[in-house]
Amino acid sequence: MPDEPLRGVTVLDCATLFAGPLAATILGDFGAEVVKIEHPRKPDPARTHGPAKDGVGLWWKMLGRNKHTVTADLGRPGGADLLLRMVEEADVLIENFRPGTLERWGLGPEVLHRVNPRLVLARVTGFGQFGPYANRPGFGTLAESMSGFAAVTGEPDGPPTLPPFGLADGVAALTLAGAVQTALYHRDVHGAPGQVVDLAIIEPLLTLLGPQATAYDQLGLVPERTGNRSVNNAPRNTYRTRDGRWLAVSTSAQSVAERVMTLVGRPEVIDEPWFATGSGRAEHADLLDEQVGGWIAARDHAEVIREFENAQAAVAPVYDIRDIFADPQYRALDSLTTVEDADLGPIRMQNVLFRLSGSPGAIRWTGRAHGADTEAILSGRFGLSADDLAALREEGAI
């Protein structure tokens, strides 16, 4: 596919589990040649995370898509030398080892940049490369806890709530993919050398939480859990219909809030002085929820959605994955696309993240078996001979 925007970029994915590997997946979706490097005897644990069919991990099929799979024990001399040989021709190396691990193997940034001054070394860890927590084990769950996300998530009288999926890892992956492309742009457009990207998983989610830091700094405000409500506007909640379906309503815009209250037969509330601002409406959320929730509870979900759409008010059903598969908008966007898999035949998975009109991304293949491309990539792409490969196998380096 010659129009792929990242064609010609070579990415070495040495990371495990989710944040680093997902960033590499995103780059691969848009044409980068991604070489997934795994330990010969301890593959990426993501291969066995989550549900499986016939012993085949389904999470890996998505996370490992568009990647060539190669094995190398970077802790052995032969494996370290192999990585240096690959780095000579690579643009990006993504790793998530504990700080100091690459250095202990003789593969620190200075060594890598001596071999290839143009390399972008992307390092993603729980807490970053320095500071008092740098050497702690770091997972997305800890970031969801320490970022302030869990503290504001859940019902007011309930416990802090963690998400049931890898939210912090996913946000970190999106951030890391953007950071890598920023570093590549700086290198290729401005003629700068390669550099190190240091991403701590605790930081991107902190940014997504909005002005909490500034509000605390300037006003001493500490956010509390509000359930499905918002401190910024109302009505904003989930409401149950007569036929038992849940719908979400949002009124971030003043005009939408006015339309909603007119629709539910309470236009008089619009004239209240407090209704003129989102924060004022949020202070009267009990009243507004009662009025909106009561109107919705007396109707089936199809009628509610139809009436909201006619009123140009914002409403959406609360979906599970079955609803997403059946939804015509997701089908029109091909958000869940079909890909042929060597083990399972045609399978459905999330499509690439966004659509580019002139250079679209694509899923060229799904996650491959552990080490499936070791010989082909090392010999064909990086020029190792049969004797080189045999020596590496003898050492246990591949």
Side-chain angles (χ1 to χ4, degrees):
M1 301 180 67
D3 57 354
E4 292 172 315
L6 296 180
R7 181 172 59 93
V9 173
T10 298
V11 177
L12 305 179
D13 173 11
C14 297
T16 57
L17 291 173
F18 305 116
L22 182 56
T25 302
I26 295 167
L27 298 173
D29 283 350
F30 290 92
E33 181 184 20
V34 180
V35 179
K36 173 73 175 180
I37 302 174
E38 298 174 85
H39 193 284
R41 293 162 294 282
K42 293 179 288 185
D44 189 334
R47 289 181 176 273
T48 55
H49 266 57
K53 180 181 179 182
D54 300 331
V56 178
L58 300 180
W59 202 332
W60 171 252
K61 289 299 181 182
M62 185 273 285
L63 189 64
R65 72 192 192 194
N66 292 336
K67 299 181 183 182
H68 303 288
T69 55
V70 169
T71 62
D73 183 349
L74 305 184
R76 294 176 184 263
D81 290 343
L82 174 60
L83 183 68
L84 292 175
R85 189 161 179 172
M86 299 171 76
V87 161
E88 289 180 6
E89 301 186 37
D91 297 282
V92 181
L93 189 154
I94 299 175
E95 64 96 0
N96 70 334
F97 301 110
R98 293 258 193 112
T101 300
L102 278 186
E103 288 81 354
R104 190 172 69 251
W105 292 337
L107 297 169
E110 298 82 6
V111 175
L112 297 176
H113 283 138
R114 194 179 308 132
V115 170
N116 181 355
R118 291 170 51 80
L119 181 74
V120 174
L121 173 58
R123 316 188 80 172
V124 54
T125 56
F127 303 102
Q129 295 294 315
F130 56 90
Y133 302 160
N135 288 313
R136 289 184 181 181
F139 296 99
T141 298
L142 307 187
E144 289 146 10
S145 175
M146 291 180 64
S147 65
F149 172 84
V152 298
T153 304
E155 294 299 322
D157 57 351
T161 302
L162 296 168
F165 64 99
L167 175 63
D169 278 304
V171 173
L174 292 167
T175 306
L176 188 64
V180 165
Q181 292 173 80
T182 300
L184 290 174
Y185 181 91
H186 185 55
R187 184 195 74 176
D188 296 341
V189 175
H190 299 301
Q195 59 183 298
V196 177
V197 176
D198 177 10
L199 188 144
I201 297 176
I202 58 173
E203 290 184 306
L205 195 55
L206 177 63
T207 297
L208 259 64
L209 288 170
Q212 285 193 18
T214 306
Y216 177 72
D217 174 65
Q218 296 296 305
L219 302 172
L221 295 179
V222 178
E224 298 179 352
R225 290 185 290 285
T226 59
N228 290 324
R229 288 179 173 176
S230 169
V231 297
N232 301 311
N233 63 81
R236 191 267 198 177
N237 213 325
T238 57
Y239 307 94
R240 199 167 193 175
T241 63
R242 181 171 58 189
D243 54 347
R245 296 291 300 272
W246 288 96
L247 302 176
V249 171
S250 176
T251 58
S252 297
Q254 181 69 24
S255 60
V256 174
E258 294 174 4
R259 290 175 200 149
V260 169
M261 300 316 298
T262 301
L263 172 64
V264 303
R266 303 305 297 263
E268 71 280 0
V269 77
I270 298 172
D271 296 326
E272 295 287 345
W274 50 262
F275 196 87
T277 65
S279 57
R281 298 197 307 273
E283 291 174 358
H284 294 78
D286 286 342
L287 171 65
L288 297 176
D289 275 348
E290 179 183 353
Q291 294 171 343
V292 175
W295 186 88
I296 289 175
R299 292 162 174 80
D300 291 344
H301 79 281
E303 179 186 355
V304 174
I305 292 175
R306 183 174 62 252
E307 293 299 323
F308 264 72
E309 289 181 347
N310 290 339
Q312 298 185 52
V315 68
V318 176
Y319 276 174
D320 63 25
I321 191 62
R322 294 169 296 185
D323 303 310
I324 294 171
F325 264 69
D327 184 83
Q329 181 63 30
Y330 278 119
R331 286 202 303 270
L333 296 174
D334 196 28
S335 303
L336 300 176
T337 197
T338 300
V339 188
E340 192 68 27
D341 177 70
D343 298 310
L344 302 173
I347 62 175
R348 301 282 293 278
M349 65 175 60
Q350 300 96 318
N351 209 337
V352 299
L353 276 170
F354 46 86
R355 284 163 290 280
L356 298 178
S357 62
S359 53
I363 303 171
R364 300 180 298 281
W365 64 84
T366 58
R368 291 171 57 72
H370 179 229
D373 304 301
T374 299
E375 287 195 17
I377 291 296
L378 294 185
S379 61
R381 175 69 174 81
F382 296 104
L384 273 72
S385 67
D387 290 342
D388 292 332
L389 295 173
L392 289 168
R393 284 200 184 85
E394 179 68 24
E395 183 190 346
I398 62 173

